[in-house]
Amino acid sequence: MQNLRTLLALAFLAVSIKPAVAGEHLFDEIIVTERQTKRVIYLEDQLDISPDTSQLLKKVPGANVNGNGPLSGIPQYRGMFGARIGFVINGALLAPAGPNWMDPPLSYVAPAQLVKLEVYRGIAPVSVPQETIGGAIISETVSADFTNTKEFTSSGILTTSAQSVNDGFLLSGLTSFANNSHHVSIAAMSEEGDDARFSGGRILPSSYERERGEVSYGFRSANHTFSINYTRNTTGEAGTPTLAMDIDYFSGDLFNARYQYEGQGWSLDARLFGSELHHGMTNYHLRPTPIDKTLWRQNTTSAENEGFVISGTHQDDFGEWQIGFDYFSTVNNSLIDNPNNTMFFVEGFNNATRSVSGVFAEHQHRFSGKFQLEIGARINYVKMSADAVDGTPARMMPPAMALRDQFNEADRDSSDTNLDMVAKLWHRTSDTLSLYAGIAQKTRSPSFQERFLWLPLQATGGLADGFTYTGNLDLEAEESRDIELGFDLIYSRFNISPRLFYREVRDFIQGTPTENQAALMFVNMMNLRNRTDNPNPLRFNNVDAEFYGLDIDWKYTLNENWSFSGLMNYVRGKRSDVDDNLYRVAPANMTFVVDYEKENWNLNAELVAYASQNHVSLINSEETTTGYELMNISGSYLVTENLRLSMGVDNVLDETYQDHLTGYNRARNPDIVVGGRLYGYGRNVFLKANYKW
Ligand SMILES: [Cu+2]
């Protein structure tokens, strides 16, 4: 880390003495563009300085974050979260190495190096990632672009920031050279933070450290464009207080290549990508160590991802046709051991393999300028398999032995053929009003955890409910039927875009009380042996569920100085086969922002209000939360054409509050009881400087 710091500091010096050249769009701020189908957050100079990309989603209608740690926020959209949402990272698909999603896909694009984050509003098109039952989020990091001249020009950005709530510090830079046919860029980032404070103490452990570097090259000749990109992400020790262990390290190598061809009325896009992710976590290096040395645990995991997307688009006078096929496969491994006992091991997942081969067709059609239609269909063929497993518990304890043998003797190969269909219609009734209706069928096959978890463990994709789970080799794919209605009104300086949605999910996958006697006996025996009181294990099962709600975003521009904007989100998720609510669904919430803009400075104040959440899941023993309000202020000042300084205070009133989507504390902490809900961060003063050339 020291080396990288020195390098970045030297780079900063080098550019500081360079003559300043004014660019055209220096320091675009976060702009959430108002479009019919998606919301785009441009981060070229975002004021927020959270190290977690997913936190930006709170600026998008319908989106939220399940917080498991400072780098481990799991995106939630209209009540669905995690693997139910499709993610694209610089054109690539990526599945985490952490069986508890300590490294959600968006953690591989740090906010400091992100250029934009796109969230599809409601039903995602079939042409974006393969499985999008709960929505689609597209992210792109900063890189160079071709220029219009043969002469090479250089450009770059340097960002540094510091914040008080966790003594966090960040240094990030990008430098690039480009002409009309080549571009090359190098980006690097280093960030760290200590345990975060709240008014009653500290959240332990919530420190983090991460470094990220990226190189990319692009080549353009006539109608052909080719680019390659390599990213290395190294996360050091980082807390995940809602889970049983903390991050020791993540080490990831991400590669992707892209070829694009622009023909007369048609274009071709081909992407090839892969990533190799390694991860270690323990329950003894960052949080207080377990007193009983036999309970120390280390879990070493990995994910190998590879895939491609090939699609062709044809444009005609009425719209466009797109057809394509794609493939993505992941192999996950996980080994648990104890440094105090070299004999102890548990193979959590042994070559748990999941591949999705997809083919899709999509058509956009414009009728007479008044109606616009999007229809699409996709077939995904999902194949899963896993190798036999073993572990010392299975060699010593009869119930664990029975679970191992049941798993090893079973047929662990499975395949699903899933059909997704989308139809969306916009009707432009006047210059100011456009009506919208969409219907869809969306599917998702089980995750490897849901299918292959053989021993009752908490490896659940980050549910963080404190329950142990076993997988289920007989799970069916989830199938959702969606309908959404809304309108986009743009009246003078006011615009508003509400959406009402309802979805019915057949075979929704969630944990239900297990009937497997071996699993029940195993957890009982472990409780007796370790003097713990873990509840009876759950087993992933197909149930029925429904989601409905409303989300709205709006903006009113009073004059060239003042503007007001806001969000309102409401979602309800419940079982439709029994009387229960779904787990970890965002409470109703709203955001109200006042902006004041001057030529070279601006100020904004934000009020965020969350209602209580009383619709909690009985099966997951979920606890209710009460509502709260937070105030945030921030501003920025353009010192020169190249240098911008920003400053802000989050949680100005130092409110003590509990975010319903942040889980329960699992680490011994004098300030928060184990099993109690974690508190949100206290007052945070931050500073940020951006230099661009
Ligand atoms: Cu982990």
Side-chain angles (χ1 to χ4, degrees):
M1 170 165 309
Q2 284 305 332
N3 289 342
L4 187 70
R5 283 262 168 81
T6 317
L7 209 77
L8 284 170
L10 283 174
F12 190 82
L13 274 177
V15 299
S16 302
I17 49 177
K18 245 181 76 123
V21 184
E24 221 170 293
H25 295 287
L26 283 180
F27 305 118
D28 295 335
E29 296 185 18
I30 293 178
I31 307 161
V32 180
T33 49
E34 310 293 331
R35 288 194 51 194
Q36 284 177 328
T37 56
K38 56 189 173 189
R39 293 291 178 269
V40 188
I41 304 177
Y42 293 96
L43 292 108
E44 210 175 341
D45 183 32
Q46 48 125 4
L47 299 189
D48 307 57
I49 56 165
S50 166
D52 187 354
T53 300
S54 67
Q55 293 297 330
L56 293 162
L57 295 171
K58 292 182 177 171
K59 299 179 187 304
V60 176
N64 220 308
V65 183
N66 293 6
N68 285 341
L71 304 179
S72 304
I74 296 175
Q76 173 168 142
Y77 187 73
R78 291 183 177 171
M80 282 191 170
F81 50 81
R84 290 191 175 95
I85 298 174
F87 298 94
V88 180
I89 309 296
N90 279 336
L93 302 179
L94 181 148
N100 262 321
W101 276 49
M102 287 179 179
D103 60 334
L106 289 183
S107 71
Y108 289 92
V109 284
Q113 300 198 314
L114 201 62
V115 64
K116 66 175 180 180
L117 192 64
E118 297 181 6
V119 181
Y120 278 90
R121 187 97 196 256
I123 297 166
V126 297
S127 58
V128 284
Q130 297 180 312
E131 292 177 289
T132 56
I133 193 169
I137 300 175
I138 316 295
S139 58
E140 231 173 82
T141 53
V142 188
S143 75
D145 209 348
F146 300 109
T147 66
N148 294 321
T149 59
K150 267 199 132 126
E151 210 108 318
F152 273 92
T153 49
S154 101
S155 61
I157 317 164
L158 269 169
T159 305
T160 181
S161 70
Q163 56 181 325
S164 69
V165 76
N166 55 6
D167 306 322
F169 179 76
L170 170 131
L171 193 55
S172 167
L174 165 98
T175 179
S176 63
F177 298 90
N179 71 359
N180 57 0
S181 56
H182 299 271
H183 69 69
V184 58
S185 64
I186 300 178
M189 181 209 73
S190 172
E191 63 184 345
E192 61 183 29
D194 206 343
D195 294 317
R197 297 178 187 87
F198 70 102
S199 59
R202 282 189 188 255
I203 297 156
L204 302 176
S206 57
S207 60
Y208 60 90
E209 48 187 51
R210 174 163 61 169
E211 287 172 12
R212 188 178 185 284
E214 185 171 340
V215 284
S216 43
Y217 169 73
F219 173 71
R220 182 171 70 178
S221 171
N223 304 339
H224 308 269
T225 310
F226 175 75
S227 64
I228 49 172
N229 172 294
Y230 167 74
T231 301
R232 175 151 183 87
N233 181 85
T234 313
T235 300
E237 297 182 350
T240 45
T242 64
L243 297 169
M245 298 184 188
D246 297 304
I247 298 168
D248 186 12
Y249 64 87
F250 274 105
S251 132
D253 295 292
L254 289 71
F255 169 81
N256 74 66
R258 184 171 197 169
Y259 168 74
Q260 286 160 289
Y261 178 79
E262 284 290 335
Q264 280 292 0
W266 67 281
S267 60
L268 182 75
D269 184 0
R271 285 174 273 155
L272 179 71
F273 46 83
S275 51
E276 188 163 322
L277 315 174
H278 294 273
H279 170 46
M281 55 182 154
T282 86
N283 67 352
Y284 54 79
H285 77 286
L286 212 50
R287 64 185 60 190
T289 55
I291 295 150
D292 181 350
K293 289 208 154 195
T294 64
L295 296 182
W296 288 31
R297 292 287 179 273
Q298 168 176 256
N299 192 352
T300 315
T301 72
S302 65
E304 283 162 54
N305 297 310
E306 53 191 46
F308 65 81
V309 180
I310 297 172
S311 72
T313 307
H314 169 72
Q315 268 113 11
D316 61 25
D317 293 344
F318 302 103
E320 66 173 47
W321 290 89
Q322 189 181 3
I323 55 164
F325 53 101
D326 45 26
Y327 172 81
F328 180 58
S329 90
T330 306
V331 182
N332 279 90
N333 278 287
S334 159
L335 178 72
I336 302 169
D337 56 31
N338 178 347
N340 302 315
N341 176 0
T342 52
M343 300 295 288
F344 179 84
F345 78 99
V346 173
E347 288 171 342
F349 300 100
N350 189 8
N351 289 325
T353 304
R354 187 181 195 275
S355 71
V356 185
S357 309
V359 52
F360 64 88
E362 192 171 277
H363 179 50
Q364 314 259 6
H365 199 95
R366 208 177 290 278
F367 303 88
S368 70
K370 283 202 159 180
F371 287 92
Q372 196 186 329
L373 176 74
E374 174 190 316
I375 48 168
R378 165 186 277 277
I379 297 169
N380 285 332
Y381 177 68
V382 184
K383 255 181 87 163
M384 294 181 73
S385 66
D387 289 348
V389 290
D390 197 6
T392 31
R395 295 177 182 182
M396 290 153 68
M397 299 164 70
M401 194 179 298
L403 288 166
R404 178 196 62 189
D405 296 345
Q406 283 164 22
F407 184 83
N408 289 349
E409 284 158 21
D411 177 9
R412 296 181 303 275
D413 290 354
S414 67
S415 63
D416 299 318
T417 303
N418 301 332
L419 174 66
D420 283 13
M421 289 179 294
V422 168
K424 300 197 265 189
L425 183 69
W426 290 267
H427 177 203
R428 202 176 167 81
T429 61
S430 67
D431 283 348
T432 55
L433 183 67
S434 170
L435 303 176
Y436 165 75
I439 52 168
Q441 167 175 299
K442 287 288 179 81
T443 57
R444 179 188 74 103
S445 280
S447 67
F448 76 92
Q449 296 95 324
E450 289 161 343
R451 206 186 274 281
F452 299 127
L453 191 54
W454 64 279
L455 194 66
L457 290 172
Q458 297 181 12
T460 58
L463 292 178
D465 57 355
F467 280 86
T468 57
Y469 282 73
T470 54
N472 181 345
L473 293 167
D474 302 320
L475 286 176
E476 302 287 337
E478 297 178 338
E479 197 177 283
S480 169
R481 301 272 159 79
D482 304 15
I483 177 160
E484 57 180 0
L485 299 169
F487 62 84
D488 302 299
L489 176 76
I490 304 171
Y491 183 75
S492 177
R493 288 173 296 194
F494 177 71
N495 68 65
I496 187 166
S497 297
R499 293 287 185 275
L500 262 173
F501 60 91
Y502 175 80
R503 64 165 19 137
E504 190 181 67
V505 190
R506 211 174 61 190
D507 291 327
F508 186 76
I509 299 169
Q510 81 152 47
T512 59
T514 189
E515 281 158 22
N516 185 314
Q517 290 307 310
L520 287 164
M521 276 169 63
F522 176 76
V523 171
N524 278 333
M525 282 175 76
M526 294 308 286
N527 277 339
L528 283 173
R529 173 189 283 201
N530 302 331
R531 278 170 250 105
T532 52
D533 57 350
N534 282 320
N536 283 342
L538 302 179
R539 179 180 194 242
F540 287 112
N541 264 312
N542 289 115
V543 301
D544 293 319
E546 61 181 358
F547 296 80
Y548 54 84
L550 168 73
D551 41 62
I552 302 171
D553 59 346
W554 61 270
K555 184 169 182 174
Y556 176 64
T557 308
L558 180 68
N559 55 37
E560 59 180 20
N561 300 125
W562 290 96
S563 66
F564 307 90
S565 58
L567 296 176
M568 280 173 71
N569 300 304
Y570 172 78
V571 57
R572 183 94 160 75
K574 58 185 191 181
R575 291 275 295 274
S576 42
D577 51 348
V578 300
D579 188 17
D580 197 8
N581 299 297
L582 297 182
Y583 169 69
R584 221 174 182 181
V585 172
N589 62 82
M590 57 171 285
T591 305
F592 178 70
V593 182
V594 182
D595 247 299
Y596 185 77
E597 294 273 348
K598 273 288 193 187
E599 209 144 272
N600 56 354
W601 61 276
N602 71 45
L603 268 179
N604 73 78
E606 181 182 61
L607 185 74
V608 181
Y610 273 76
S612 57
Q613 181 57 289
N614 299 313
H615 298 300
V616 291
S617 162
L618 293 175
I619 275 188
N620 299 82
S621 300
E622 189 180 20
E623 286 170 24
T624 59
T625 45
T626 52
Y628 56 89
E629 293 90 38
L630 299 175
M631 194 163 80
N632 309 314
I633 53 172
S634 61
S636 69
Y637 173 57
L638 202 59
V639 184
T640 69
E641 274 170 330
N642 303 68
L643 178 68
R644 164 162 288 189
L645 297 177
S646 320
M647 182 181 171
V649 188
D650 292 330
N651 192 0
V652 175
L653 303 174
D654 204 20
E655 214 71 57
T656 307
Y657 70 100
Q658 291 169 316
D659 177 346
H660 187 77
L661 299 185
T662 300
Y664 314 100
N665 179 38
R666 303 288 302 278
R668 270 184 289 136
N669 179 344
D671 307 321
I672 308 173
V673 62
V674 171
R677 216 176 253 289
L678 280 171
Y679 290 93
Y681 287 9
R683 183 186 296 129
N684 182 30
V685 180
F686 64 87
L687 285 167
K688 181 172 168 176
N690 256 22
Y691 185 84
K692 247 188 145 178
W693 74 95

